[in-house]
Amino acid sequence: MMKKVAPSAVYAGLVLCTAVTPLLYYNLAITVRVGTCILLVCGLFWAGYGIREILSCKPHTKFRFTWPDIAVGVLLLYYLIRYFFTPLERSMPEHLVLQFSWFASYGFLRRCFGREGQEATQVLYMILVFGIVQAVFGILQWFHVLPNLFSEYRMGGTFGNPGELANVLVLAYALALGLALEEKHHRKRLVFAGMLILSAIVLSNARTAWVAFLGVSLVTVRKWLFQKFRWLRSRVPAYVPVVGMLVILVVVLVTGLQLYHYKQGSSEGRLFIWQRCMELIGQQPLWGHGYSTFTRIYPLQQTAYFEAHPNDIKNGLLASNILIAYNDYLQLATEYGFLGLGLWLGLLGMVFLSNRAPCKSSTFPGTIQGVVAGVLFCMLFSYPLENYVIPFIILMVLAYYASGIPHTVWEWHITPRTRLFAGITISLISLLAAILGGIGLYYALRWKGVYERFQTGDKSAVKDYAELVSVLRYDKYFCFNYGTALYNAYRFQEAIDWFETYKYHFYDTDLLMLLAESYTMINDDAHAEAYLLKATCLKPHLYEPNNKLFLLYQRTHQNDKAKQMAERIKYMPVKVLSNQVKDYKSQANAYLNSIQTLE
């Protein structure tokens, strides 16, 4: 009974956790880290599993390790190595919590599914149900029945924007299509589910999801045709399936290029990001720059580019504060090198290239291949691996696939004494993780209270901020928020010390301008000028840092530089016209007119 109930119960819990986490994120604090919530929930879950193993009276058993298990283990080991060899000021510890939760869930489900995995098929239906719920949520948001809590976009499900929602919907659509082609008894329901999900994909206005939908459909139908009409495999030459996959890839890429002009500004901005990513990859091609370091190192590369190319007006208008690469292949190569990218591609390719169903009573391999294809296509123009849900889904599908592989690479013989030791170890570590997660949520709630007090003008809240530093100092939003509070409390030297220590956690124009203002307040104009120059190079089209630099040159009587900045502001292209931009241009024109009058 446990074997039949466990998989669906486990995944139901994981779906609930990942669906509720954004609501906790929105309601509990300014930024309750997703990793903290999952650490608490998964810690309690694994503690219960460990206790169950301790109380279990099962006799001597064994666990089979297959090639996917080995590949997942190697990937986890590589993540741990890169984390411990990355300086803490550049890494993000909460990401490690998330990724450990992914791999732990894989291990548990592999344990539940056992050898045959017939019961494991229900996990695919649980993923599909989650996708249907997200699709309904998104459609209701699009028609303004439900609000989008997290952004200005019209729909986003329980995610931050339509792109994240659409990536999940693509995987759910792949399951609906594959199961509909194979299942006869539930075909009408599955077709309806697929059409519902497809409607949400269309409404999401996410170009990547449209391209991935086309690729998933072609891959799944191609696989189904060869599975359904077995005579094709004997009569068609061996190279034809390979050519078919290449044709599908070409169709997907051509479709993606045709959608380039749909949002041309966005597309050109991504091309600019990818060019900077290639420069970063060239600096560290094998190992990458370190664990989860993209948000730290990309702004520095963008700043360096515009320092070297100050007259690149076109790309200057496209520049922004970038947190992701909008291409997971490039982001993986940037952070983990070609070795890390190769491990991910090897893991996904192992399943994608398989021509065999995981087990006799499971669905045909085209369903699993369609899910993996959806991930691979979304990775071309989006960031599915940065979505906290999709890696869960990927590893759940991999666990389902690995459960039915008959070939065993290694067997681990589990004795009652081994089970007792493992149960105690898992329980202790998981309880510790749950305690840490609870502490994190407690501090996040305190942060919300302190923030609200400070917003009302209570300057004494800065002291309470300092008590939260030991736990929240690696949260990039807290780092910025605390530094801003110090600045607003006129504690400029403390704000400078704080921002200088943690500036790479949230390196953007707002932080650079705050640093410059803080240095100005202590009469250190040299450092203020340096940081304002970096702000103008990070986002060249932004008027505010240029105007601040112009005023600094005026105040310090650097007339030649002030004139240059005034001319720059006068002729700068306008990305978004506002009254503030008009004021900046008027000030620059007035200054230039006054100089001409004096001359």
Side-chain angles (χ1 to χ4, degrees):
M1 182 67 181
M2 174 61 69
K3 194 173 181 180
K4 293 183 178 181
V5 174
S8 58
V10 171
Y11 204 80
L14 291 173
V15 167
L16 178 65
C17 173
T18 53
V20 170
T21 294
L23 302 180
L24 295 175
Y25 179 97
Y26 179 76
N27 292 310
L28 288 184
I30 309 160
T31 169
V32 175
R33 288 170 294 178
V34 175
T36 303
C37 298
I38 294 184
L39 182 64
L40 174 62
V41 175
C42 289
L44 292 173
F45 178 83
W46 273 85
Y49 174 71
I51 294 172
R52 172 181 171 273
E53 287 294 308
I54 294 173
L55 300 176
S56 176
C57 298
K58 291 181 181 179
H60 181 100
T61 57
K62 58 186 178 181
F63 184 86
R64 300 169 49 256
F65 286 91
T66 60
W67 280 116
D69 301 327
I70 302 299
V72 169
V74 171
L75 183 60
L76 174 60
L77 179 62
Y78 185 74
Y79 271 128
L80 291 173
I81 292 172
R82 296 303 291 132
Y83 175 77
F84 287 111
F85 280 91
T86 300
L88 276 179
E89 65 269 15
R90 295 172 57 198
S91 64
M92 299 182 71
E94 61 268 28
H95 283 187
L96 184 66
V97 174
L98 277 170
Q99 289 167 349
F100 184 79
S101 301
W102 303 336
F103 292 108
S105 302
Y106 173 88
F108 181 79
L109 286 185
R110 277 288 288 115
R111 184 78 175 89
C112 288
F113 292 164
R115 181 183 179 88
E116 291 302 324
Q118 284 88 343
E119 298 88 356
T121 307
Q122 57 195 303
V123 170
L124 303 183
Y125 283 96
M126 291 304 302
I127 300 173
L128 179 57
V129 168
F130 177 64
I132 292 172
V133 170
Q134 290 293 333
V136 172
F137 203 150
I139 291 172
L140 292 177
Q141 288 173 332
W142 197 87
F143 286 105
H144 302 293
V145 177
L146 292 176
N148 188 2
L149 301 178
F150 306 103
S151 67
E152 70 279 7
Y153 297 104
R154 191 166 180 176
M155 65 183 292
T158 59
F159 300 95
N161 60 63
E164 295 180 354
L165 169 65
N167 287 335
V168 172
L169 294 178
V170 166
L171 304 191
Y173 169 78
L175 287 174
L177 177 61
L179 293 171
L181 291 174
E182 183 68 14
E183 295 283 349
K184 296 181 179 179
H185 302 293
H186 306 291
R187 181 167 292 172
K188 291 182 179 179
R189 297 176 184 176
L190 290 168
V191 169
F192 176 77
M195 295 302 294
L196 180 67
I197 294 170
L198 179 57
S199 301
I201 291 175
V202 173
L203 294 177
S204 70
N205 205 30
R207 295 159 295 172
T208 300
W210 298 345
V211 175
F213 150 74
L214 176 62
V216 166
S217 301
L218 294 175
V219 167
T220 306
V221 171
R222 168 196 166 277
K223 195 72 175 179
W224 176 76
L225 289 174
F226 279 94
Q227 185 80 9
K228 185 72 173 178
F229 304 102
R230 300 181 183 275
W231 55 270
L232 285 174
R233 283 180 282 181
S234 59
R235 297 184 181 183
V236 172
Y239 63 85
V240 170
V242 177
V243 173
M245 289 303 303
L246 291 176
V247 170
I248 291 174
L249 180 60
V250 170
V251 170
V252 168
L253 292 176
V254 170
T255 305
L257 292 174
Q258 291 299 316
L259 289 174
Y260 176 88
H261 299 286
Y262 177 66
K263 297 179 182 178
Q264 189 167 346
S266 172
S267 301
E268 291 176 349
R270 296 190 183 190
L271 286 176
F272 174 76
I273 296 169
W274 297 343
Q275 290 168 358
R276 307 288 76 76
C277 288
M278 294 300 293
E279 294 169 357
L280 289 169
I281 293 169
Q283 297 170 10
Q284 297 284 346
L286 183 61
W287 294 96
H289 288 268
Y291 182 89
S292 191
T293 53
F294 184 84
T295 55
R296 270 70 164 171
I297 60 175
Y298 180 84
L300 301 178
Q301 186 67 22
Q302 182 168 295
T303 302
Y305 173 81
F306 286 113
E307 287 176 343
H309 305 84
N311 297 321
D312 189 349
I313 297 175
K314 178 183 177 182
N315 286 320
L317 289 171
L318 300 172
S320 184
N321 295 318
I322 301 300
L323 300 177
I324 47 179
Y326 296 97
N327 183 306
D328 271 345
Y329 298 104
L330 291 177
Q331 184 153 341
L332 284 172
T334 301
E335 294 180 336
Y336 306 106
F338 287 117
L339 185 56
L341 175 61
L343 289 174
W344 263 110
L345 292 180
L347 181 62
L348 296 173
M350 182 185 304
V351 182
F352 182 76
L353 298 176
S354 175
N355 291 314
R356 179 183 49 77
C359 52
K360 291 181 179 178
S361 62
S362 68
T363 186
F364 84 111
T367 303
I368 306 301
Q369 195 177 67
V371 173
V372 175
V375 175
L376 293 173
F377 288 134
C378 286
M379 286 173 65
L380 283 170
F381 310 109
S382 189
Y383 45 98
L385 298 185
E386 296 298 308
N387 184 318
Y388 58 88
V389 174
I390 289 183
F392 267 117
I393 295 176
I394 294 172
L395 289 172
M396 297 308 103
V397 171
L398 287 174
Y400 162 76
Y401 173 78
S403 66
I405 295 179
H407 179 67
T408 301
V409 178
W410 177 57
E411 285 188 347
W412 179 29
H413 294 273
I414 306 174
T415 64
R417 182 175 298 179
T418 304
R419 179 177 288 108
L420 178 63
F421 174 77
I424 293 174
T425 303
I426 291 172
S427 298
L428 291 177
I429 295 176
S430 301
L431 285 173
L432 176 62
I435 291 171
L436 292 175
I439 292 173
L441 289 177
Y442 167 73
Y443 272 78
L445 285 169
R446 286 187 59 190
W447 174 17
K448 181 181 180 180
V450 172
Y451 176 79
E452 290 175 348
R453 283 172 49 206
F454 192 83
Q455 291 297 102
T456 59
D458 185 357
K459 302 299 182 183
S460 64
V462 177
K463 181 180 178 181
D464 296 329
Y465 260 116
E467 297 176 359
L468 307 176
V469 169
S470 60
V471 174
L472 300 177
R473 66 184 183 277
Y474 292 119
D475 187 299
K476 59 185 179 182
Y477 299 106
F478 175 82
C479 288
F480 182 79
N481 195 223
Y482 179 44
T484 304
L486 290 172
Y487 174 83
N488 290 332
Y490 307 108
R491 296 161 65 170
F492 302 117
Q493 188 59 55
E494 293 180 54
I496 290 170
D497 295 339
W498 176 261
F499 280 135
E500 289 287 3
T501 303
Y502 295 101
K503 62 185 176 184
Y504 295 119
H505 285 207
F506 201 83
Y507 194 89
D508 70 354
T509 50
D510 292 330
L511 182 143
L512 294 174
M513 286 190 291
L514 267 175
L515 258 173
E517 289 289 330
S518 300
Y519 275 114
T520 299
M521 292 299 178
I522 63 171
N523 299 317
D524 189 345
D525 292 324
H527 278 93
E529 179 185 358
Y531 279 110
L532 285 175
L533 284 171
K534 288 184 180 296
T536 60
C537 290
L538 180 57
K539 291 180 68 175
H541 66 81
L542 201 63
Y543 274 80
E544 187 175 2
N546 285 278
N547 187 69
K548 288 181 180 293
L549 195 56
F550 164 62
L551 296 176
L552 184 147
Y553 288 146
Q554 274 190 293
R555 181 171 52 81
T556 56
H557 306 293
Q558 301 182 59
N559 297 327
D560 291 339
K561 291 184 178 180
K563 180 180 179 181
Q564 291 176 1
M565 288 306 303
E567 290 176 343
R568 176 174 178 175
I569 293 171
K570 179 179 179 180
Y571 296 109
M572 272 179 65
V574 178
K575 187 172 183 178
V576 179
L577 184 62
S578 65
N579 291 330
Q580 191 175 44
V581 170
K582 293 178 181 178
D583 291 340
Y584 292 154
K585 285 187 173 289
S586 297
Q587 291 175 21
N589 283 325
Y591 179 78
L592 292 172
N593 291 333
S594 66
I595 293 176
Q596 290 177 356
T597 302
L598 292 174
E599 292 177 350

